[in-house]
Amino acid sequence: MALKFYNSLTKKKEVFTPLNEGRVNMYVCGPTVYDHPHIGHAKSYVSFDVIVRYLRYLDYKVRYVQNITDVGHLTDNADAGEDKILKRAQRERVEPAELVEIYTKSYFEDMDALNNLRPDISPRATAHIPEQIEIVEKLIEKGFAYASNGSVYFDVQKFTEYGKLSGRKQEELEAGARIEINPEKRNPSDFALWKKAEPGHIMRWKSPWGEGFPGWHLECSAMSMKYLGQTLDIHGGGLENIFPHHECEIAQSEAANKSPFVRYWIHNNMVTVNGQKMGKSLGNFVTLKDAFTKYNPLTIRFFILTTHYRSPLDFSNEALDAADKGLERLYNTIVNLREQIDSAKDGSTPSGIYEKLEHYKKTFLEAMDEDINTPGAIAALFDLSKDVNTLLNSGQEISKMCLEDIDRLCQELAGNILGIIPKTFESKKKGEADVLDNVMRVIIDTRNELRKAKQWQLSDFIRNKLTEIGIALDDKPDSTAWKRIKK
RNA sequence: GGCGGCAUCGCCAAGUGGACUAAGGCCACGGUUUGCAAAACCGUUACCCUGGGUUCGAAUCCCAGUGCCGCCUCCA
């Protein structure tokens, strides 16, 4: 078994081998923090989170860097329009630094809720201005860039490999391009490394070319280089960034360093909402904070993972509801499993159980190895869950050790790798001196007395009333369990 | 106009040359279990967009067509 990734650069699935054995340097384009994160962010960062988790599961020492863009991302394209941060800050009447703080916090809040592990480093563009200036100077020195009227542009014609990632050719770019003619540029497809700050532009830094601010593409090159070296093992991002963003990153970095920038380019596909592209201009944005009011964040995470990261994901209530029920099924198994662990006595080890566990684990890992096929991995989980359910319902006494081994495997695959298992199940608060639990005990005992007396009407009344307030009862042969449900 | 992707059961979604008489989830319908439920389990439902071709063999490769989508302003 070997982990394979689809590499956008070569357009092929390739066996993954890091530059340095046992270590993986990974960079993922982070958010521009000028608004609350939306479900598109969720798809992207959940996808890469699972990649990081899986690499670590495979014992790679991963350094995961994800930038925070807090300057330089312009509204029209990378070199025209207003700075998004600045524009929004003016609208909300706050300092740009304040705005950035608000939305960075919001971003991490939502990513935490989705159970994404924090990146090892979350560098900010504004904290790396000197590094960016340094690259610009280097590029000018080497003849790849030129200063023009206080701005600096990358001379695309000097970098013959420009277009190798996106498959775009220079001539084509210029032909149909919607790029406005900028007299400062030698060539329409040249892109800004450094922009001159007009009077009144408050986000500005001193540079050899006068006061200005960095171009958007530059930060990723500067920060990845600083924290991960000249050649990255993995660079990830949304596929809408292939051109121009990633193409420009390659040009800058490789022109400056003369070494390959990235070994594996990984791009995730986009989110649509009810079949329609989600876009700023279309105004059909779904923020995560909104989505979380209707769905558990882990449901959204699970939903994202039921589709391959390179496939588009359509966000609709029907699909989310279906995912929610599916996840509930998985949770039921684990909740029941843990319940039996608590009450387990000396039982036996069912024959063939370890072979089965091994089989499902293998199926799961093989799916993950094939370019992180999470839908396949999840299918293996459902198969496992079915077998476990059968076992748990069989009525036979199973040894505690065996049950714990099953639980451990579930935790390993669904918990550690996919991150879809909550730390504690809200519905069960076992081991806690929980008032509700005690009250429920009294109600259940009372109701079971009624059931013994065949008082069905009254016992059904109690159960129905509890269902109405969001508590489900589950009558088993020798006991009754309860859990919280969604109303 | 240029570049790229997709079309698999009612819905979602894996599979990308041979164990596919096509995984898994949701929904529906039968059944087992239950005092009745719930949960769980068993069962039922696909000529893989169309037409050619390559091959001993194709959902999987090639060509053509049809439909949908993304990128080439902004966006993860």
Side-chain angles (χ1 to χ4, degrees), chain A residues 299 302 306 319-333 378 381-382 385 420:
Chain A
T299 296
F302 174 75
T306 55
L320 259 298
D321 288 340
D324 194 50
K325 285 184 182 149
L327 185 58
E328 183 71 23
R329 188 184 182 75
L330 249 25
Y331 285 176
N332 277 337
T333 300
I378 287 171
L381 241 35
F382 277 106
S385 138
I420 53 175

Side-chain angles (χ1 to χ4, degrees), chain A residues 94-107:
Chain A
V94 293
E95 282 291 323
E98 213 172 346
L99 183 95
V100 159
E101 216 50 57
I102 292 167
Y103 291 119
T104 302
K105 219 174 274 171
S106 172
Y107 171 74

Side-chain angles (χ1 to χ4, degrees), chain A residues 27-28 30-33 65-72 85 95-108 118-132 203 205 214 216 218-220 222-224 226-227:
Chain A
Y27 187 93
V28 171
T32 302
V33 282
V65 176
Q66 190 191 99
N67 62 291
I68 296 286
T69 298
D70 56 359
V71 69
I85 304 282
E95 282 291 323
E98 213 172 346
L99 183 95
V100 159
E101 216 50 57
I102 292 167
Y103 291 119
T104 302
K105 219 174 274 171
S106 172
Y107 171 74
F108 282 118
R118 293 275 181 123
D120 298 299
I121 306 178
S122 303
R124 293 179 178 208
T126 53
H128 297 78
I129 302 293
E131 287 88 344
Q132 297 184 64
M203 297 175 84
W205 289 266
W216 173 43
L218 193 56
E219 58 169 287
C220 291
M223 299 191 291
S224 65
K226 173 165 180 177
Y227 298 110

Side-chain angles (χ1 to χ4, degrees), chain A residues 185-206:
Chain A
K185 293 183 183 180
R186 288 182 189 164
N187 226 294
S189 48
D190 290 352
F191 59 90
L193 296 167
W194 186 264
K195 290 286 280 183
K196 175 187 182 175
E198 299 301 330
H201 192 105
I202 35 179
M203 297 175 84
R204 58 204 299 149
W205 289 266
K206 288 201 175 80

